[in-house]
Amino acid sequence: MLTRRILGALVGATALSLALSVPALAEPIVIKFSHVVAPDTPKGKGAAKFEELAEKYTNGAVDVEVYPNSQLYKDKEELEALQLGAVQMLAPSLAKFGPLGVQDFEVFDLPYIFKDYEALHKVTQGEAGKMLLSKLEAKGITGLAFWDNGFKIMSANSPLTTPDDFLGLKMRIQSSKVLEAEMNALGAVPQVMAFSEVYQALQTGVVDGTENPPSNMFTQKMNEVQKHATVSNHGYLGYAVIVNKQFWDGLPADVRTGLEKAMAESTDYANGIAKEENEKALQAMKDAGTTEFHEMTAEERAAWEEVLTPVHDEMADRIGAETIAAVKAATAE
């Protein structure tokens, strides 16, 4: 059922579509760019950079309004809002496309599928990435780019050194069947929860732990309510910058060209700072001293990989064996 907020926003979206049909635009075209994380994360900074460049390269024909920290919509609402035209642009995490019916994107959730950023970018900046974005067209969505956040670490209020340490822990995850399988493989109890609700859930013990890149963990102050963390780098968290297809296709060609240039440059910027921001966040949390961070040995990592990599085969029917093979082939190039 549609939320009242989405229905209300549709009034503005309808007015916008009417404005786009007028040859001479008296007012700037408004692009509402909604996301669920803090402004000082890599995604938040990337969105701010896009706002700056979009307005510059369209000579003021576009007014980008960025709404961070779930100000407009929570995780489960935002994709519906985009499809209905209540917002024009999002940068959801890649796990969000599974519930939409495009399970191929859950390949990014597979544990230990990317060795490092170099292997990852062979996918997101190559033909495999273009193939994945094209699958969104049938859902009324145009995919513009992939933005990095980073590789995830595990946190809880007890040490997480071996897979056995997860037994019975309630671990918050995004809505993703792959992440459910990951936690099940570890013997944990997966708990799907909106990102904006995680801090309080950790604080009150509704969940025991979670997985996040350091920048998300730090900016949401999760380190204040998590006593232990392991720098596992077991999984990747990234985003797809997407727009409402009807809105995008209806833009004047020169405006779309300016926005494409702005997106290309803001993508380079966002991806360029992601690794650096995560390193800074990790160090800041270590300095704060509220969480004890464990650096994995090669033997510990091997034990985690032994338990988690079977998830690749387990999820092949859901994600698509061809998609998994394409990603693995690209990372091997």
Side-chain angles (χ1 to χ4, degrees), residues 176-232:
S176 164
K177 294 299 183 184
V178 176
L179 297 181
E180 285 185 25
E182 170 191 281
M183 291 302 176
N184 286 333
L186 290 166
V189 181
Q191 302 284 311
V192 175
M193 182 178 295
F195 184 70
S196 57
E197 299 170 4
V198 177
Y199 178 90
Q200 185 175 8
L202 292 170
Q203 185 181 43
T204 57
V206 172
V207 293
D208 298 307
T210 187
E211 56 170 18
N212 277 293
S215 63
N216 277 9
M217 183 178 177
F218 178 62
T219 56
Q220 296 295 318
K221 300 181 179 180
M222 294 180 197
N223 60 301
E224 295 179 356
V225 289
Q226 294 280 263
K227 295 178 181 177
H228 294 271
T230 294
V231 185
S232 50

Side-chain angles (χ1 to χ4, degrees), residues 110-173:
L110 290 172
Y112 292 116
I113 194 168
F114 302 111
K115 182 176 69 173
D116 51 28
Y117 281 102
E118 182 181 359
L120 165 72
H121 291 157
K122 288 178 179 178
V123 175
T124 58
Q125 298 174 14
E127 292 304 313
K130 292 177 183 177
M131 175 271 291
L132 285 164
L133 290 177
S134 71
K135 291 179 178 290
L136 297 173
E137 296 285 325
K139 303 296 182 180
I141 295 169
T142 296
L144 300 180
F146 289 97
W147 285 4
D148 292 340
N149 187 325
F151 288 93
K152 295 182 286 188
I153 64 179
M154 292 284 196
S155 68
N157 282 321
S158 54
L160 301 172
T161 305
T162 73
D164 286 347
D165 293 331
F166 286 86
L167 291 174
L169 292 184
K170 294 174 291 183
M171 297 292 290
R172 179 268 171 178
I173 59 167

Side-chain angles (χ1 to χ4, degrees), residues 41-61:
T41 58
K43 177 163 68 172
K45 291 182 177 182
K49 177 62 70 173
F50 175 74
E51 177 183 6
E52 171 195 336
L53 296 176
E55 293 172 2
K56 173 183 176 182
Y57 291 145
T58 62
N59 297 313

Side-chain angles (χ1 to χ4, degrees), residues 80-94:
E80 183 184 20
L82 181 89
Q83 288 177 297
L84 292 169
V87 293
Q88 291 70 50
M89 184 173 288
L90 303 173
S93 57
L94 299 169

